[in-house]
Amino acid sequence: MSAPRRTLRRAATVTALTAASVLVAAGVAAAHVTVHPESYAKGATDGVLTFRVPNEEDTASTTKVQVYLPTDHPVLGVLVTPHDGWTAKVTTAKLKTPVKTDDGTITEAASEITWTGGKIGAGQFEDFDVAFGQLPEDTDQLAFKTLQTYSDGKVVRWIEQAQSGDDEPENPAPTLKLTAGDDSEASAAPATKTSAKATTAAADSSDSTARGLGIAGLIVGVLGLAAAAFALVRTRGARS
């Protein structure tokens, strides 16, 4: 094989591997368990939170999802939406500090929601909708630690919380930001409309991330081919 052809083949191989790694990274970036929408106004009422659970395993299915709700800043009036094939169990706990509302004093709230009986296959995801009566007013965010169990017994613990200024942890807990004003579209919308908006926003965000990384991969590919062409021209020039 001539030197120019070997140069082009090596360049093409490097380009393909680099582009593939970028595209793989795009898939990994969207694989965390997340909550949508990403923010609500403090004290928002009558809304919906959607927990998106993707399956990360190629040879096993997700068969159990456990979402833990904070009780130090409780979410009041939790209700779950039925999902075909899944059974939801809501566990409540006594509150250390009762919450006073217009309807009276609340002494217990949901502390865990467990979905079982269904299956999320490889390359698939499931959206679990949770309606709430009221969000807390005394915190800036809510972290929903989540356990994801697979059919082969593996358990992924989505429980890590990023500190200010740190990079995102490997297994981040789904986190909802609570804002000071009513600047969340979801907080003013009916529950069903909120769920639709949340799902659309999540899909758009995921698509944007994947699209951006995909474009980066194409740029890397073009640069690689350009380098190969330059090397070929230099080689021919040297031979002449």
Side-chain angles (χ1 to χ4, degrees):
M1 183 184 295
S2 64
R5 288 184 178 179
R6 284 198 298 271
T7 300
L8 280 173
R9 176 169 292 185
R10 284 197 297 268
T13 300
V14 172
T15 299
L17 291 175
T18 303
S21 65
V22 171
L23 294 176
V24 167
V28 173
H32 299 332
V33 175
T34 51
V35 60
H36 306 279
E38 295 180 352
S39 67
Y40 256 112
K42 293 181 179 181
T45 58
D46 300 326
V48 171
L49 298 175
T50 299
F51 293 91
R52 174 160 294 182
V53 182
N55 190 86
E56 294 184 309
E57 298 294 318
D58 295 329
T59 59
S61 301
T62 296
T63 56
K64 183 178 181 181
V65 177
Q66 297 164 268
V67 175
Y68 293 87
L69 288 71
T71 55
D72 53 346
H73 304 288
V75 178
L76 305 180
V78 167
L79 297 172
V80 294
T81 300
H83 289 272
D84 290 342
W86 293 90
T87 299
K89 178 183 177 182
V90 179
T91 301
T92 61
K94 291 286 185 180
L95 300 177
K96 292 183 178 180
T97 304
V99 179
K100 294 182 178 181
T101 70
D102 294 338
D103 297 323
T105 301
I106 306 298
T107 59
E108 65 178 31
S111 59
E112 178 186 348
I113 305 174
T114 301
W115 287 273
T116 56
K119 182 176 70 174
I120 307 173
Q124 299 177 344
F125 71 90
E126 186 80 33
D127 281 346
F128 297 95
D129 294 334
V130 176
F132 62 82
Q134 183 174 341
L135 295 177
E137 300 178 348
D138 56 351
T139 184
D140 293 329
Q141 65 178 26
L142 295 174
F144 300 97
K145 296 181 179 181
T146 301
L147 301 186
Q148 181 178 10
T149 302
Y150 287 90
S151 55
D152 59 2
K154 178 180 179 180
V155 178
V156 180
R157 300 169 61 84
W158 302 100
I159 62 174
E160 300 174 358
Q161 295 179 252
Q163 301 299 319
S164 179
D166 292 346
D167 294 333
E168 183 181 63
E170 182 177 356
N171 294 317
T175 301
L176 177 71
K177 296 180 181 179
L178 297 180
T179 60
D182 188 11
D183 58 359
S184 171
E185 289 184 6
S187 63
T192 53
K193 186 179 294 185
T194 298
S195 180
K197 287 185 177 181
T199 302
T200 301
D204 291 345
S205 176
S206 177
D207 290 345
S208 297
T209 301
R211 191 181 302 113
L213 289 171
I215 292 174
L218 292 176
I219 293 174
V220 170
V222 172
L223 292 176
L225 292 176
F230 179 71
L232 178 61
V233 171
R234 289 191 59 186
T235 302
R236 287 181 175 176
R239 292 181 60 185
S240 61

